[in-house]
Amino acid sequence: MSGKRSLLERLAAGPVIGDGGFIFALEKRGYVKAGPWTPEATVEHPEAVRQLHREFLRAGSDVMQAFTFYASEDKLTDRGNTAGKKIGVAAINREAAKIAKEVAAEGDALTLGSLSQCPSYLEGKGEAKVKSEFRKQVEVFTKEGLDFLLCEYFEHVEEIQWAIQVCKESGKTVAATMCIGPEGDMHGVSAAECAIRMARSGADLVGVNCHYDPFVALETMRRMKQGLDAAGLKPYLMMQPVAYHTPDAGKQGFIDLPEFPFALEGRIATRWDMHRYAREAFELGVRYIGGCCGFEPYHIRAIAEELSAERGGKMPQGSIKHDMWGGGLTMHTKPWVRARASREYWENLKPASGRPYCPGMSEPDNWAEKKKGHM
Amino acid sequence: MSGKRSLLERLAAGPVIGDGGFIFALEKRGYVKAGPWTPEATVEHPEAVRQLHREFLRAGSDVMQAFTFYASEDKLTDRGNTAGKKIGVAAINREAAKIAKEVAAEGDALTLGSLSQCPSYLEGKGEAKVKSEFRKQVEVFTKEGLDFLLCEYFEHVEEIQWAIQVCKESGKTVAATMCIGPEGDMHGVSAAECAIRMARSGADLVGVNCHYDPFVALETMRRMKQGLDAAGLKPYLMMQPVAYHTPDAGKQGFIDLPEFPFALEGRIATRWDMHRYAREAFELGVRYIGGCCGFEPYHIRAIAEELSAERGGKMPQGSIKHDMWGGGLTMHTKPWVRARASREYWENLKPASGRPYCPGMSEPDNWAEKKKGHM
Amino acid sequence: MSGKRSLLERLAAGPVIGDGGFIFALEKRGYVKAGPWTPEATVEHPEAVRQLHREFLRAGSDVMQAFTFYASEDKLTDRGNTAGKKIGVAAINREAAKIAKEVAAEGDALTLGSLSQCPSYLEGKGEAKVKSEFRKQVEVFTKEGLDFLLCEYFEHVEEIQWAIQVCKESGKTVAATMCIGPEGDMHGVSAAECAIRMARSGADLVGVNCHYDPFVALETMRRMKQGLDAAGLKPYLMMQPVAYHTPDAGKQGFIDLPEFPFALEGRIATRWDMHRYAREAFELGVRYIGGCCGFEPYHIRAIAEELSAERGGKMPQGSIKHDMWGGGLTMHTKPWVRARASREYWENLKPASGRPYCPGMSEPDNWAEKKKGHM
Amino acid sequence: MSGKRSLLERLAAGPVIGDGGFIFALEKRGYVKAGPWTPEATVEHPEAVRQLHREFLRAGSDVMQAFTFYASEDKLTDRGNTAGKKIGVAAINREAAKIAKEVAAEGDALTLGSLSQCPSYLEGKGEAKVKSEFRKQVEVFTKEGLDFLLCEYFEHVEEIQWAIQVCKESGKTVAATMCIGPEGDMHGVSAAECAIRMARSGADLVGVNCHYDPFVALETMRRMKQGLDAAGLKPYLMMQPVAYHTPDAGKQGFIDLPEFPFALEGRIATRWDMHRYAREAFELGVRYIGGCCGFEPYHIRAIAEELSAERGGKMPQGSIKHDMWGGGLTMHTKPWVRARASREYWENLKPASGRPYCPGMSEPDNWAEKKKGHM
């Protein structure tokens, strides 16, 4: 690891590309259970976790994010979850770290350990208890020598501030992303104010992850940036949104859409959506650009391809099997398919759903104030 | 292999479950190039091919289909493809067979080697040349001891008859599926007549694969069955459709839809669509039920779960991480998401696309007779 | 009336343009009740009926169709309808005829009286009773001197044959249109066979009205024409479809769509749809081209404009206020609206519904076999 | 007129119901030209204008709004319009007033004369010239004794203030509605500030008309009300939106949608949308509730039916032909259609467009900043 440039050095040089969503990808592959969404696969099926890491590395990810989402002890034993007892918080986090390091070493990638919101916070157990949950994970991350830490998927700014504080104890670089939208956190704190508080708590990178599609998330980032600029704060900006189109999501994001989590297919973004996302994020000043639920390796590759010039012409390994903008179609048998081998074609296409009995948007459940009138 | 029950024994006992689409899944994972769509990944990245096999095995597939799609020598050297020269037809097919056997042995699965339509046919090179292309692959399959053979993805019944004839030389069980829709093959032969000819050429299983969604494909199967019944022929019925909704596809299937192949996301079927597919296929009398492009492991698992009773109560290994009909959601944090843990909920949902600026259907390219009027 | 060319003379010379739907237009204007759909407005509010006739005349209609839809005595007293008793079948039909004649005289239009299917048929009261119902109307039409007769909106070919026979007694030209789709009548008689029977019963014009949009109706006409051609019969072809897009309608047409009759707005055809309808109908050989429910005067004007060349360059009076293909927009204030003043613009537009929470198609009620799979 | 209660008396007693859109309704009937949109039909075809007035009266309108939209002299001679020269501003306005008075006398309706924005303003001709244009119309209104005046369809608050000032010279009650959306006027003045300025200029009623659907318009009204409340102003609130769903409209409203004006059909609101509109408007405190482009008589009747209780149980005359909430369907022949005779059915229906090849929303032309990402 000694020779690797650090995260901050890389950010100073240009955009850093994150990875995609392990939980959702591994659910589809058969290794994660929807509902609890915990990562015991690191112990149960390390080969599956390792392969997914490799695919993201190949797609251009600069960071191997250890698969420690929701791996706090209280979550691993919550609502009948047996992973916490049978396997244990330490083992799950440790194996995650080992796999991340192993694959990172196959390229030039950094590693990170992440904390997410924990049941103890929602149950009102208080700062000391919540921080102790976080420390159990951070200890492993430190011991395993992961390169930096990430607090991600927090709905309340108060809790993420505690998480940042625990992470800072390690002396490592700390990134912090909340799963909020343009309207701010669940306690009514605005997106701008959330960003300010995360930065003031010591986060070196600040932004959002999960819950919204890239374009809604960009609106949240815009508000965060305005707040940070106004407060004179200059953390790096980071975002890892979901790969599902969510123009109709409400305050809690895609969780509340009726399609969550087993009928989201129609909302999956194309690689071309990701080109646009990468470009718009970069132009806004975001420097850590990755994905969350729904991001598959080819989505990450699209980001890497779009930002190739900004990254010194570097192309992902996986582009050996992908000519930009559909170029591979020139090798197709049918002339009218070969005619689709152009940027203009794919950028202008409005893809049909093949589901004429289904609508374009849904009304979220739990919509405090159901949107009326427009049907 | 000695102890394994043969394909025909299994079919006699109940439904056999196929696997999903390697080409499309591995394209998203970064190992296959869209356009040529050839399977040299068996040599270049065996670990990725092996992992996908394992996922399908875990999802309930009874057959490990060696990844030999489009692996005829003429295709591997077609239109600038270098795989044929650099790696070679024998090596690609041999490694595919080895990986399939390796993973099959981890469970109780059968293996198969497949042939697909080849450029020599379209170029009019004649029966002898086309058959010699097929023999190069069949030799490898025989030498490697694959359990049975499959001729799949043929648009012309004449060519698949030649392929069946070559396969029959091996003495193995032969399955045959064309990529045609209800309107029949590209030379105007009806679906019923295609089925009859495949059966008369010696295919033990007859049906369709690729090009259409399960429900359009079921209509084709219905016509094939009527033809076979009328002719007094009784091959087993087999189908492996795509996982993309294609109510609007024309004579050449999803290839002609403007979204092919890089903007099909909105059309991806849900696991609930697959429950319905499995049930309707079984009721029609189809006994080999699998998938093609777009089928991910979780789609195959849905088929296995739906037909569990018909398979003696057997559940796929992957169902350890999946409670039927959304049951895992009872462990979710939000009460309104827990309320979605029911069959009724998912069966009745009309999932939104999240793309209000996009339509429900597209007009295929190359539509001889563009559908007019309805917009 | 003496100097007017007859219907058959006009048909021999070129396309004759019908009128639009009185029932639906007058329901929106406040003079007809949805449910019974009977035409007592001819007595209650003659000024409203007269004005609508004038609008169709102005739009290019060659025929003023007396507003006698569902004006059989048994229908006027059916299910609590009081019009039959309070006003009476004779008065309603007579006033309808008078208004039609009055407005026809303001131009060069013909007049017609029409019969529709009657409750006595459905109640199984038999040929004699049903024919006696029809005779009550035909007597009025004859006495009032309407130019020709029309049997329209019949779901059973047997009943329309009886109606044609009654009309033939008058010695007048008789037209006959059924409200069936491509699948034929409610007793399972094919569309082709229905056409043949209507022609053999003596109808001079044969075709369809109501229940389906122009493009579904054209498919029915295609089948009717094939049947007639095969049988060596040469009646004129006539069609008056609804102005609502119904690609999803089942065997009973738009009645069964969940939107019928109070939420059909999103399905209303544009004037450009009508250009296409007129052209395709003419090319198929249809010579009496009009509309039914949902057709407003501007829809008829679009037909007249499209077929102007085929009608000797004649343009409807109402085109004083309408430059073809959006030409009037050249006088608009905004440059980007002026840019829409072209045929190419309007022919290629795929108009949005403004209802992102609504689907493109519905499943009909009473669908014997619900279409499954595609959502 | 002596016995009639004045507008302000009526407003004090309960909601007053406006009428619908003459321009669009008469365009479809063949008497108004799309593009210039001027009302010379008052002279050319008074019977058509009179009939439409009667239909609105019958539907429950309390006000007969003389058809004087865009009837300023500079507009009547703008861009090749010949109505100004051939017929003249005075005649057009005078005949409009006469027809309105004639029909109003058939019921208990008030009459109004209206001014709209004029080309002289946009051409920068200044206050004196613009006001002189307005005075030409107001003189006629005063001479004809119309009950009150309305300034409607102004995009710039400055111009409507001048119009209000001219109207105030007459001593009559003055209403003022701008065609702006939630974002305010074309000069960047907020909706709240526009409302305040209209009230301070002397308008007795303040609000919006045209350009947006009822639900977008309600959002504008909400902002206007907040501004007025904060400023301590208490004019009556008035709104007359379009009957086209416009969730996707930009700053200039439905004009900018690609479907304007000849392919808006799919966006037409149902009567049930109007029930909801009426209820929400009343609850917000709006007391003059009417419609603009696209509102047909049955839309107005739905408002009158919804607010019947608030209007002392008064029902519109046209409800003789309309049982509330689909009640007339109990008289339908088919049992599954009779089953639709309920409020619950129609309130919950998400009506399909019958256009599966068309999207739910469009991108407006002239979108300064095209909405990106969501497709």
Side-chain angles (χ1 to χ4, degrees):
Chain A
M1 209 168 1
S2 54
K4 283 198 297 192
R5 284 182 309 152
S6 74
L7 176 65
L8 296 178
E9 286 168 332
R10 293 178 193 219
L11 287 164
V16 166
I17 296 178
D19 61 5
F22 274 59
I23 287 289
F24 269 61
L26 290 173
E27 197 279 332
K28 290 185 177 170
R29 296 183 186 193
Y31 302 99
V32 163
K33 187 167 183 169
W37 306 111
T38 47
E40 58 275 16
T42 59
V43 174
E44 295 171 344
H45 287 283
E47 77 286 0
V49 178
R50 189 181 299 117
Q51 173 62 22
L52 185 54
H53 271 300
R54 275 185 185 136
E55 293 171 14
F56 283 122
L57 183 72
R58 181 172 166 83
S61 293
D62 296 312
V63 182
M64 293 295 100
Q65 180 167 342
F67 183 33
T68 63
F69 181 76
Y70 264 170
S72 64
E73 188 162 36
D74 54 354
K75 182 72 187 174
L76 290 167
T77 55
D78 192 41
R79 293 186 170 271
N81 195 339
T82 59
K85 284 227 165 144
K86 283 197 194 152
I87 306 177
V89 59
I92 291 170
N93 282 278
R94 190 178 58 237
E95 293 311 305
K98 283 189 193 305
I99 299 167
K101 286 189 296 178
E102 179 190 340
V103 181
E106 296 175 7
D108 178 40
L110 297 170
T111 57
L112 80 79
S114 77
L115 305 178
S116 327
Q117 65 185 8
C118 64
S120 298
Y121 179 80
L122 276 184
E123 291 158 9
K125 297 201 173 152
E127 183 172 348
K129 167 67 175 151
V130 168
K131 284 185 163 175
S132 88
E133 287 297 321
F134 293 147
R135 277 195 198 96
K136 290 176 209 166
Q137 290 186 262
V138 172
E139 267 166 34
V140 179
F141 303 154
T142 309
K143 197 164 160 193
E144 292 296 327
L146 297 178
D147 294 321
F148 67 100
L149 303 180
L150 167 63
C151 309
E152 70 168 356
Y153 200 76
F154 286 81
E155 291 176 303
H156 303 88
V157 70
E158 181 184 48
E159 188 184 3
I160 201 172
Q161 288 182 278
W162 297 346
I164 294 167
Q165 288 157 12
V166 170
C167 288
K168 294 299 286 183
E169 296 166 2
S170 71
K172 289 182 185 285
T173 295
V174 177
T177 54
M178 296 182 71
C179 54
I180 59 171
E183 295 174 58
D185 94 342
M186 294 303 116
H187 284 156
V189 183
S190 75
E193 179 62 20
C194 286
I196 290 166
R197 291 193 198 170
M198 287 190 280
R200 293 213 166 122
S201 296
D204 304 290
L205 294 91
V206 156
V208 296
N209 80 306
C210 205
H211 274 200
Y212 297 92
D213 71 33
F215 309 100
V216 175
L218 276 161
E219 174 58 25
T220 317
M221 291 304 298
R222 225 164 267 129
R223 297 186 187 194
M224 287 190 159
K225 185 172 191 294
Q226 281 169 4
L228 292 166
D229 286 351
L233 295 163
K234 293 284 172 211
Y236 283 105
L237 299 179
M238 170 172 180
M239 64 189 293
Q240 304 210 90
V242 301
Y244 302 105
H245 284 286
T246 64
D248 42 355
K251 184 139 190 196
Q252 302 214 38
F254 83 143
I255 306 287
D256 289 0
L257 293 172
E259 292 83 10
F260 177 88
F262 295 127
L264 290 164
E265 280 81 351
R267 297 175 176 270
I268 300 175
T270 64
R271 59 197 77 196
W272 320 116
D273 293 324
M274 295 315 176
H275 274 270
R276 193 185 283 184
Y277 155 47
R279 181 57 47 202
E280 294 186 21
F282 182 79
E283 282 174 3
L284 183 64
V286 183
R287 285 299 171 267
Y288 192 117
I289 302 173
C292 197
C293 305
F295 269 76
E296 300 274 350
Y298 77 107
H299 291 122
I300 293 296
R301 182 176 61 193
I303 296 173
E305 289 183 354
E306 175 66 30
L307 298 177
S308 175
E310 286 77 9
R311 290 158 57 79
K314 190 165 66 173
M315 285 290 276
Q317 245 197 310
S319 293
I320 291 167
K321 294 290 177 187
H322 191 250
D323 297 340
M324 280 251 270
W325 298 112
L329 298 182
T330 54
M331 295 171 75
H332 200 275
T333 328
K334 320 254 182 210
W336 55 94
V337 177
R338 290 202 292 275
R340 297 176 194 156
S342 81
R343 174 172 182 163
E344 199 202 356
Y345 181 84
W346 294 107
E347 279 194 332
N348 287 302
L349 186 70
K350 299 279 188 204
S353 69
R355 289 177 172 87
Y357 296 96
C358 294
M361 303 210 287
S362 286
E363 293 188 5
D365 282 352
N366 192 37
W367 235 14
E369 221 187 311
K370 288 265 180 185
K371 199 166 206 169
K372 285 166 195 161
H374 292 305
M375 309 188 304
Chain B
M1 205 168 5
S2 53
K4 282 196 296 191
R5 284 183 308 153
S6 74
L7 176 64
L8 295 178
E9 287 169 332
R10 294 180 192 218
L11 286 164
V16 166
I17 296 178
D19 61 4
F22 273 61
I23 287 290
F24 270 61
L26 290 174
E27 196 277 334
K28 290 185 178 170
R29 296 183 185 194
Y31 301 99
V32 163
K33 187 167 183 170
W37 306 112
T38 47
E40 58 275 16
T42 59
V43 173
E44 295 170 345
H45 288 281
E47 76 286 0
V49 178
R50 188 180 300 118
Q51 173 63 22
L52 185 54
H53 270 299
R54 277 187 182 135
E55 293 171 14
F56 283 121
L57 183 71
R58 182 173 167 81
S61 294
D62 295 312
V63 182
M64 292 296 100
Q65 179 166 343
F67 182 35
T68 63
F69 181 77
Y70 264 170
S72 65
E73 187 163 34
D74 55 353
K75 182 74 188 174
L76 291 166
T77 55
D78 193 43
R79 292 186 172 273
N81 194 339
T82 60
K85 285 227 164 144
K86 283 196 195 153
I87 306 176
V89 59
I92 292 170
N93 282 278
R94 190 178 57 238
E95 293 311 304
K98 284 189 192 303
I99 299 168
K101 287 190 294 178
E102 178 189 342
V103 181
E106 297 175 7
D108 178 41
L110 297 169
T111 56
L112 81 78
S114 76
L115 306 177
S116 328
Q117 65 185 9
C118 66
S120 297
Y121 179 80
L122 276 183
E123 291 157 8
K125 297 197 173 155
E127 184 172 347
K129 165 70 174 151
V130 169
K131 284 185 164 177
S132 88
E133 288 297 321
F134 294 147
R135 277 196 196 96
K136 290 176 209 167
Q137 290 185 263
V138 173
E139 268 167 33
V140 179
F141 303 154
T142 309
K143 196 165 163 193
E144 292 297 325
L146 297 178
D147 294 320
F148 67 100
L149 302 180
L150 167 64
C151 308
E152 70 169 358
Y153 200 77
F154 286 81
E155 290 176 303
H156 303 87
V157 71
E158 181 184 50
E159 188 183 4
I160 201 171
Q161 289 182 276
W162 297 347
I164 294 166
Q165 288 156 11
V166 170
C167 288
K168 293 299 286 182
E169 297 165 2
S170 72
K172 290 183 185 284
T173 295
V174 177
T177 54
M178 296 182 71
C179 55
I180 58 171
E183 296 175 58
D185 95 340
M186 294 304 115
H187 284 155
V189 182
S190 75
E193 178 63 21
C194 286
I196 290 166
R197 293 194 197 170
M198 287 189 281
R200 294 215 165 119
S201 295
D204 304 290
L205 294 92
V206 156
V208 296
N209 81 305
C210 207
H211 274 200
Y212 298 91
D213 71 33
F215 308 102
V216 175
L218 276 162
E219 173 57 24
T220 316
M221 290 304 298
R222 225 165 267 130
R223 298 187 185 193
M224 286 190 161
K225 186 174 189 295
Q226 282 169 4
L228 292 166
D229 286 351
L233 295 164
K234 293 285 172 210
Y236 283 104
L237 299 180
M238 171 173 180
M239 63 189 293
Q240 305 210 86
V242 302
Y244 302 104
H245 285 286
T246 64
D248 42 355
K251 183 140 189 194
Q252 302 214 38
F254 83 143
I255 306 286
D256 288 0
L257 292 173
E259 293 82 10
F260 177 87
F262 296 128
L264 289 163
E265 281 81 351
R267 297 175 176 269
I268 300 174
T270 65
R271 59 197 76 195
W272 320 116
D273 292 324
M274 295 314 176
H275 274 270
R276 192 185 285 184
Y277 155 46
R279 180 56 48 200
E280 294 186 20
F282 182 77
E283 284 174 2
L284 183 63
V286 183
R287 285 297 171 268
Y288 191 117
I289 303 172
C292 199
C293 304
F295 269 76
E296 300 274 348
Y298 77 108
H299 290 123
I300 294 295
R301 183 176 59 193
I303 295 172
E305 289 184 354
E306 175 65 30
L307 297 177
S308 174
E310 286 77 9
R311 291 158 56 79
K314 191 164 68 171
M315 284 290 277
Q317 246 197 309
S319 294
I320 292 167
K321 295 290 178 187
H322 191 251
D323 297 340
M324 279 251 270
W325 299 112
L329 298 182
T330 55
M331 295 172 74
H332 200 275
T333 328
K334 321 253 181 212
W336 55 94
V337 177
R338 289 202 294 275
R340 295 175 196 157
S342 82
R343 176 171 181 165
E344 198 203 356
Y345 180 85
W346 294 107
E347 279 195 331
N348 288 300
L349 186 70
K350 299 278 188 206
S353 69
R355 289 178 172 87
Y357 295 97
C358 294
M361 303 211 286
S362 285
E363 294 187 5
D365 281 353
N366 191 39
W367 237 13
E369 220 187 311
K370 287 265 182 187
K371 200 164 202 168
K372 284 165 195 164
H374 292 302
M375 309 188 303
Chain C
M1 209 168 357
S2 53
K4 283 198 296 190
R5 283 183 307 153
S6 75
L7 176 63
L8 296 178
E9 286 168 332
R10 293 178 192 217
L11 286 165
V16 166
I17 296 178
D19 61 5
F22 274 60
I23 287 288
F24 270 62
L26 290 173
E27 196 277 335
K28 290 186 176 168
R29 296 183 185 194
Y31 301 99
V32 163
K33 187 167 185 170
W37 305 112
T38 47
E40 58 275 16
T42 59
V43 174
E44 295 171 346
H45 287 283
E47 77 286 1
V49 179
R50 189 180 300 118
Q51 173 63 23
L52 185 54
H53 270 300
R54 276 187 183 134
E55 293 171 14
F56 283 122
L57 183 71
R58 181 172 168 83
S61 293
D62 295 311
V63 182
M64 291 295 101
Q65 179 167 343
F67 183 33
T68 63
F69 181 77
Y70 264 170
S72 64
E73 189 162 35
D74 54 354
K75 182 75 188 173
L76 291 166
T77 54
D78 193 42
R79 295 187 170 272
N81 194 339
T82 59
K85 283 227 164 145
K86 284 197 193 150
I87 306 176
V89 60
I92 292 170
N93 282 279
R94 191 178 57 237
E95 292 311 304
K98 284 190 191 302
I99 299 168
K101 287 190 294 179
E102 179 189 341
V103 181
E106 295 175 9
D108 177 40
L110 297 170
T111 56
L112 80 78
S114 77
L115 305 178
S116 328
Q117 65 185 8
C118 66
S120 298
Y121 180 78
L122 276 183
E123 292 157 9
K125 298 200 173 153
E127 184 172 346
K129 166 68 175 149
V130 168
K131 284 186 163 175
S132 89
E133 287 297 321
F134 292 147
R135 277 196 196 95
K136 290 176 208 166
Q137 290 186 262
V138 173
E139 269 167 33
V140 179
F141 303 153
T142 308
K143 196 165 162 194
E144 292 296 327
L146 297 179
D147 294 320
F148 67 101
L149 303 181
L150 167 63
C151 309
E152 70 168 357
Y153 200 76
F154 286 81
E155 291 175 303
H156 303 87
V157 72
E158 181 184 50
E159 188 184 3
I160 201 172
Q161 287 182 278
W162 296 347
I164 294 166
Q165 289 158 10
V166 170
C167 288
K168 293 298 288 183
E169 297 166 1
S170 71
K172 290 184 184 284
T173 296
V174 177
T177 55
M178 295 183 71
C179 55
I180 58 171
E183 296 175 56
D185 96 340
M186 294 304 115
H187 284 155
V189 183
S190 75
E193 178 63 20
C194 286
I196 290 167
R197 293 195 198 169
M198 288 190 280
R200 292 213 167 121
S201 296
D204 304 290
L205 294 91
V206 156
V208 295
N209 80 306
C210 206
H211 274 200
Y212 297 92
D213 71 33
F215 309 101
V216 175
L218 276 162
E219 174 57 25
T220 317
M221 291 304 298
R222 225 165 266 128
R223 298 186 186 194
M224 286 189 160
K225 185 172 190 297
Q226 281 169 3
L228 292 166
D229 286 351
L233 296 164
K234 293 285 173 209
Y236 282 105
L237 299 179
M238 169 173 181
M239 65 188 292
Q240 304 210 89
V242 302
Y244 302 105
H245 284 287
T246 64
D248 42 355
K251 184 140 189 195
Q252 302 214 38
F254 83 143
I255 307 286
D256 288 0
L257 292 173
E259 293 82 11
F260 177 87
F262 296 127
L264 289 165
E265 280 81 351
R267 296 175 177 270
I268 299 174
T270 65
R271 60 196 76 194
W272 319 116
D273 292 324
M274 296 315 177
H275 273 270
R276 193 186 284 184
Y277 155 47
R279 180 55 49 201
E280 293 186 20
F282 182 78
E283 283 174 3
L284 182 63
V286 184
R287 284 298 170 268
Y288 191 117
I289 302 172
C292 196
C293 304
F295 268 76
E296 300 274 348
Y298 78 106
H299 290 123
I300 294 295
R301 182 176 60 192
I303 296 172
E305 290 183 355
E306 175 65 30
L307 298 177
S308 175
E310 286 77 10
R311 290 159 56 78
K314 189 164 69 171
M315 285 290 277
Q317 244 197 313
S319 293
I320 292 168
K321 294 291 178 186
H322 191 250
D323 297 341
M324 279 251 269
W325 299 112
L329 298 183
T330 55
M331 294 171 75
H332 199 275
T333 327
K334 321 255 182 211
W336 56 92
V337 177
R338 290 202 292 276
R340 295 176 195 156
S342 82
R343 175 172 182 165
E344 198 203 356
Y345 181 85
W346 294 107
E347 279 194 330
N348 288 300
L349 187 69
K350 298 279 188 203
S353 68
R355 290 177 171 88
Y357 295 97
C358 294
M361 303 211 287
S362 285
E363 293 187 5
D365 281 352
N366 191 39
W367 236 14
E369 222 187 311
K370 288 265 181 185
K371 200 165 205 168
K372 285 166 194 161
H374 292 304
M375 311 188 303
Chain D
M1 207 168 7
S2 52
K4 284 197 295 192
R5 284 181 308 154
S6 75
L7 176 65
L8 296 177
E9 287 168 332
R10 294 179 192 218
L11 287 165
V16 166
I17 296 178
D19 60 6
F22 274 61
I23 287 289
F24 269 62
L26 290 173
E27 196 277 333
K28 289 185 177 169
R29 296 183 186 193
Y31 301 99
V32 162
K33 186 168 185 171
W37 306 111
T38 47
E40 57 275 16
T42 60
V43 174
E44 295 171 344
H45 287 282
E47 77 285 1
V49 178
R50 189 180 300 118
Q51 173 63 21
L52 185 53
H53 271 299
R54 275 185 184 137
E55 293 171 14
F56 283 121
L57 184 70
R58 181 171 168 83
S61 292
D62 296 311
V63 182
M64 292 296 101
Q65 180 166 343
F67 183 33
T68 63
F69 181 77
Y70 264 170
S72 65
E73 188 162 35
D74 54 354
K75 182 74 188 173
L76 291 166
T77 54
D78 193 42
R79 292 185 171 274
N81 195 337
T82 59
K85 283 228 164 144
K86 283 198 194 151
I87 306 175
V89 59
I92 291 170
N93 282 279
R94 190 178 58 238
E95 292 311 304
K98 283 189 192 304
I99 299 168
K101 287 190 294 178
E102 179 189 342
V103 181
E106 296 175 8
D108 177 41
L110 297 170
T111 57
L112 80 78
S114 77
L115 306 177
S116 328
Q117 65 185 7
C118 65
S120 298
Y121 179 79
L122 276 184
E123 291 157 9
K125 297 199 173 156
E127 183 172 347
K129 167 66 174 153
V130 169
K131 285 186 161 174
S132 88
E133 287 297 321
F134 292 146
R135 275 194 197 98
K136 290 177 208 165
Q137 289 186 263
V138 173
E139 268 168 32
V140 180
F141 302 153
T142 309
K143 197 164 161 194
E144 292 297 325
L146 297 178
D147 294 320
F148 67 100
L149 303 181
L150 167 64
C151 309
E152 70 168 359
Y153 200 76
F154 286 82
E155 290 176 302
H156 302 88
V157 70
E158 181 184 49
E159 188 184 4
I160 201 172
Q161 287 182 279
W162 296 346
I164 295 167
Q165 288 156 11
V166 170
C167 288
K168 293 299 286 182
E169 296 166 3
S170 72
K172 289 181 186 286
T173 295
V174 176
T177 54
M178 295 182 72
C179 54
I180 59 172
E183 295 176 56
D185 94 341
M186 294 303 115
H187 284 154
V189 182
S190 75
E193 178 63 20
C194 286
I196 291 166
R197 291 194 198 168
M198 287 189 280
R200 291 215 166 119
S201 296
D204 304 289
L205 294 91
V206 157
V208 295
N209 81 306
C210 206
H211 275 199
Y212 298 92
D213 71 33
F215 309 100
V216 174
L218 276 162
E219 174 57 26
T220 317
M221 291 304 298
R222 225 165 266 130
R223 298 187 185 191
M224 286 189 160
K225 185 172 190 295
Q226 281 169 4
L228 292 166
D229 286 351
L233 295 163
K234 293 286 173 209
Y236 283 104
L237 299 180
M238 170 172 181
M239 65 189 292
Q240 304 210 87
V242 302
Y244 302 105
H245 284 286
T246 63
D248 42 355
K251 184 141 190 193
Q252 302 213 37
F254 83 143
I255 306 286
D256 288 1
L257 292 173
E259 292 83 10
F260 177 88
F262 294 127
L264 290 164
E265 281 81 350
R267 297 175 176 269
I268 300 173
T270 65
R271 58 196 77 194
W272 320 116
D273 292 325
M274 295 316 176
H275 273 270
R276 191 186 284 184
Y277 155 46
R279 180 56 48 200
E280 294 186 20
F282 182 77
E283 283 174 3
L284 183 65
V286 183
R287 285 298 170 269
Y288 191 116
I289 302 173
C292 198
C293 304
F295 269 76
E296 300 275 349
Y298 77 108
H299 289 123
I300 294 295
R301 182 176 61 191
I303 296 172
E305 289 183 355
E306 175 66 30
L307 298 177
S308 175
E310 286 77 9
R311 290 159 56 79
K314 190 163 68 171
M315 284 291 276
Q317 245 196 310
S319 293
I320 291 168
K321 294 290 177 188
H322 191 251
D323 297 340
M324 279 250 269
W325 298 112
L329 297 182
T330 55
M331 295 172 74
H332 200 275
T333 328
K334 321 252 181 212
W336 55 92
V337 176
R338 290 202 293 275
R340 297 175 194 156
S342 82
R343 174 171 183 166
E344 199 202 356
Y345 180 85
W346 294 108
E347 279 194 331
N348 288 302
L349 186 70
K350 299 279 188 204
S353 67
R355 289 178 173 87
Y357 296 96
C358 294
M361 303 211 287
S362 285
E363 293 187 6
D365 282 352
N366 192 39
W367 237 15
E369 220 186 313
K370 288 265 181 186
K371 198 166 206 168
K372 286 165 194 165
H374 293 303
M375 309 188 304

